[in-house]
């Protein structure tokens, strides 16, 4: 709830990456409100389902859709970050692309879960005292669509993104170290605008600056980059305006640092569940203890509680807004 409130109310948090975090938080919140209470009710009664089969089918569909929405949102974030690093000029001009990508994640998640609502769970000999997915083929299908296909894609995109950021940072530092200040002699173009708090000579150096990559050492030109951002758009040369538009903002960089932590927590929490889940479907004769099934299921649900904690620990802007909201509440 705090994540949703923070992004909705604070203009500084309304960035493309944080819209994906907002969508992910919405999936976590809906899971907590619509799915977990019924699972707790079933656990309290020793795993026996005492409610109607139709409600069980709705529960299974919501569970599949919201868990799928979580990982699809993480996959969409990795696509967004990859585009931001590899095609920064295009990224700055595609304001609606993020919203379309978020909409696509929810539509695909609903499509994966829809067969359960359309009667797929109504099989002969169904035990009304057990609430589960009855069709083994669907279990395999949903596991592949929700986890075993998106996760490798997501990890590959993040690997390519951070590899590109490291190359970008290394090339920029090498260029800065090799750069020799030159003063033109004779007639030339009109003098460049004065930098706030510094001489004009620091502007060309600032024009070559880009935001440092996450995980890389700080760049010595960061102050000049900040000074470049302070110059009005009309006072900059055309190539400087293009560079400014192509830059990934500092807020987005901070958000990028927390995303791998979110992805890692997701994989640690959900991988055991999907491995056990698909093993039971492919090997009906394999003995899987009910306590193991319950443990890996709740380990997956714990991920929905971890995400907001991760944001507060690793993202200073979220932490500041959370503190402000909690102080107002007190």
């Amino acid at each position: 709830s705090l994540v949703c409130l923070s992004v909705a109310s604070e203009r500084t948090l309304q960035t493309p990456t944080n819209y994906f975090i907002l969508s992910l938080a919405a999936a976590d919140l809906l899971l907590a409100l619509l799915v977990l209470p019924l699972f707790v009710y079933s656990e309290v009664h020793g795993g026996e389902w005492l409610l109607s089969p139709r409600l069980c089918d709705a529960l299974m569909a919501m569970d599949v859709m919201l868990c799928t929405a979580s990982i699809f949102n993480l996959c969409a974030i990795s696509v967004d970050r990859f585009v931001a690093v590899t095609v920064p000029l295009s990224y700055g001009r595609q304001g609606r692309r993020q919203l379309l990508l978020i909409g696509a994640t929810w539509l695909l998640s609903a499509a994966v879960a829809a067969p359960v609502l359309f009667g797929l769970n109504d099989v002969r000999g169904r035990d009304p005292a057990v609430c589960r997915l009855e069709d083994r083929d669907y279990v395999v299908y949903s596991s592949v669509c929700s986890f075993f296909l998106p996760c490798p894609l997501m990890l590959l995109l993040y690997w390519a993104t951070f590899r590109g950021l490291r190359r970008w940072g290394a090339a920029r530092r090498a260029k800065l170290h090799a750069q020799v200040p030159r003063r033109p002699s004779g007639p030339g173009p009109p003098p460049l605008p004065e930098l706030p708090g510094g001489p004009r000579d620091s502007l060309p150096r600032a024009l070559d600056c880009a935001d440092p990559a996450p995980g890389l050492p700080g760049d010595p030109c960061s102050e000049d980059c900040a000074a470049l951002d302070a110059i009005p758009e009309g006072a900059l040369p055309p190539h400087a305006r293009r560079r400014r538009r192509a830059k990934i903002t500092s807020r987005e960089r901070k958000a990028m640092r927390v995303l791998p932590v979110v992805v890692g927590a997701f994989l640690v929490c959900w991988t055991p569940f999907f491995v056990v889940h698909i093993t039971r479907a492919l090997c009906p004769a394999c003995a899987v203890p009910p306590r193991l099934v319950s443990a890996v299921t709740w380990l997956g649900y714990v991920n929905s509680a971890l995400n907001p904690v991760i944001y507060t620990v690793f993202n200073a802007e979220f932490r500041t807004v959370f503190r402000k909201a909690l102080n107002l509440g007190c």
Side-chain angles (χ1 to χ4, degrees):
S1 298
L2 280 173
V3 172
C4 297
L5 179 64
S6 299
V7 177
S9 61
E10 289 291 330
R11 189 176 183 85
T12 58
L13 293 179
Q14 293 173 5
T15 66
T17 296
N18 287 341
Y19 289 141
F20 289 102
I21 293 178
L22 174 64
S23 179
L24 180 63
D28 291 336
L29 185 60
L30 290 174
L31 184 73
L33 295 177
L34 303 179
V35 175
L36 296 190
L38 291 175
F39 267 108
V40 170
Y41 177 82
S42 177
E43 290 281 337
V44 168
H45 290 87
E48 185 179 1
W49 184 254
L50 303 178
L51 304 176
S52 69
R54 290 296 178 188
L55 184 58
C56 171
D57 293 346
L59 174 64
M60 291 291 101
M62 288 187 297
D63 189 24
V64 171
M65 187 186 81
L66 294 174
C67 292
T68 303
S70 288
I71 193 168
F72 280 5
N73 273 297
L74 289 170
C75 196
I77 290 170
S78 66
V79 173
D80 180 73
R81 296 297 84 203
F82 179 75
V83 173
V85 170
T86 57
V87 199
L89 287 174
S90 299
Y91 180 83
R93 292 195 296 265
Q94 295 176 355
R96 296 184 179 179
R97 181 178 55 81
Q98 288 83 8
L99 296 179
L100 292 175
L101 196 53
I102 291 172
T105 63
W106 285 93
L107 287 176
L108 290 174
S109 302
V112 172
V116 181
L117 290 178
F118 293 153
L120 185 70
N121 236 22
D122 293 333
V123 298
R124 287 186 178 181
R126 175 181 179 179
D127 185 357
V130 178
C131 185
R132 64 188 178 191
L133 293 173
E134 301 288 345
D135 191 292
R136 292 173 182 169
D137 293 336
Y138 175 75
V139 171
V140 175
Y141 160 77
S142 61
S143 298
V144 170
C145 290
S146 302
F147 187 81
F148 291 105
L149 281 181
C151 272
L153 174 63
M154 180 172 57
L155 295 175
L156 179 64
L157 286 172
Y158 267 116
W159 175 78
T161 298
F162 285 104
R163 187 179 180 186
L165 284 169
R166 287 183 180 277
R167 286 182 174 179
W168 185 18
R172 185 179 69 251
R173 287 194 299 272
K175 181 178 179 181
L176 288 173
H177 292 153
Q179 198 173 39
V180 178
R182 299 176 183 176
R183 291 189 176 275
S185 57
L192 293 171
E194 193 78 12
L195 280 177
R200 288 193 305 265
D201 294 341
S202 58
L203 180 58
R205 184 166 170 257
L207 297 181
D208 288 328
C209 296
D211 289 330
L216 291 177
D219 197 292
C221 74
S222 57
E223 294 181 1
D224 291 335
C225 289
L228 176 62
D229 288 337
I231 302 175
E233 185 85 10
L236 289 173
H239 71 286
R241 294 178 211 155
R242 287 195 298 271
R243 284 179 181 270
R244 174 187 281 181
R245 286 194 294 265
K247 280 178 54 180
I248 301 172
T249 67
S250 60
R251 294 189 190 97
E252 290 172 8
R253 281 191 292 106
K254 291 176 183 177
M256 287 177 69
R257 290 171 185 160
V258 75
L259 294 177
V261 182
V262 176
V263 172
F266 184 91
L267 293 176
V268 169
C269 290
W270 279 113
T271 300
F273 168 80
F274 279 102
V275 170
V276 171
H277 198 50
I278 204 168
T279 298
R280 295 174 68 200
L282 296 176
C283 181
C286 297
V288 180
R291 288 188 177 182
L292 176 61
V293 176
S294 179
V296 297
T297 300
W298 283 103
L299 177 62
Y301 293 149
V302 163
N303 179 251
S304 294
L306 285 180
N307 285 337
V309 176
I310 293 172
Y311 303 146
T312 60
V313 171
F314 291 94
N315 192 307
E317 290 187 335
F318 269 108
R319 191 165 59 244
T320 301
V321 176
F322 283 10
R323 189 181 296 113
K324 184 192 305 182
L326 292 174
N327 286 339
L328 288 176
C330 295

